[in-house]
Amino acid sequence: MKNENFELLSAALRSIGGNFDVPTLELIFLVNEEIKSKGDHISIGDIRKVSQKIAQKYGIEKNGTGQKKT
């Protein structure tokens, strides 16, 4: 899904009280795609890779303690 579509979806959800930012929405969709492609063979490691990819893309990496890197 294109970034503009995530922005539109985020705005639509805010209009009904949802508060999902673009990185969160992209993560949800990418994890869903990963689950569809791997089915029962998906692992927590697979999910973590997707999460790290989104964190790097949006500059929101954590430092291992749950705190944002500075």
Side-chain angles (χ1 to χ4, degrees):
M1 186 180 282
K2 293 182 180 179
N3 201 42
E4 300 91 32
N5 292 348
F6 288 121
E7 291 173 8
L8 291 170
L9 181 56
S10 179
L13 289 169
R14 278 194 305 274
S15 73
I16 59 169
N19 190 18
F20 295 95
D21 58 7
V22 171
T24 301
L25 291 172
E26 187 168 354
L27 177 63
I28 290 167
F29 279 90
L30 286 177
V31 166
N32 186 48
E33 287 177 17
E34 195 76 10
I35 290 169
K36 285 180 182 178
S37 72
K38 294 193 176 185
D40 291 340
H41 302 292
I42 196 159
S43 69
I44 296 296
D46 295 327
I47 301 301
R48 182 155 177 82
K49 287 178 189 174
V50 174
S51 298
Q52 288 173 334
K53 177 181 172 183
I54 296 298
Q56 289 173 346
K57 179 178 179 179
Y58 291 99
I60 52 176
E61 294 105 330
K62 303 288 181 169
N63 65 8
T65 64
Q67 301 295 318
K68 188 174 179 179
K69 286 184 179 179
T70 55

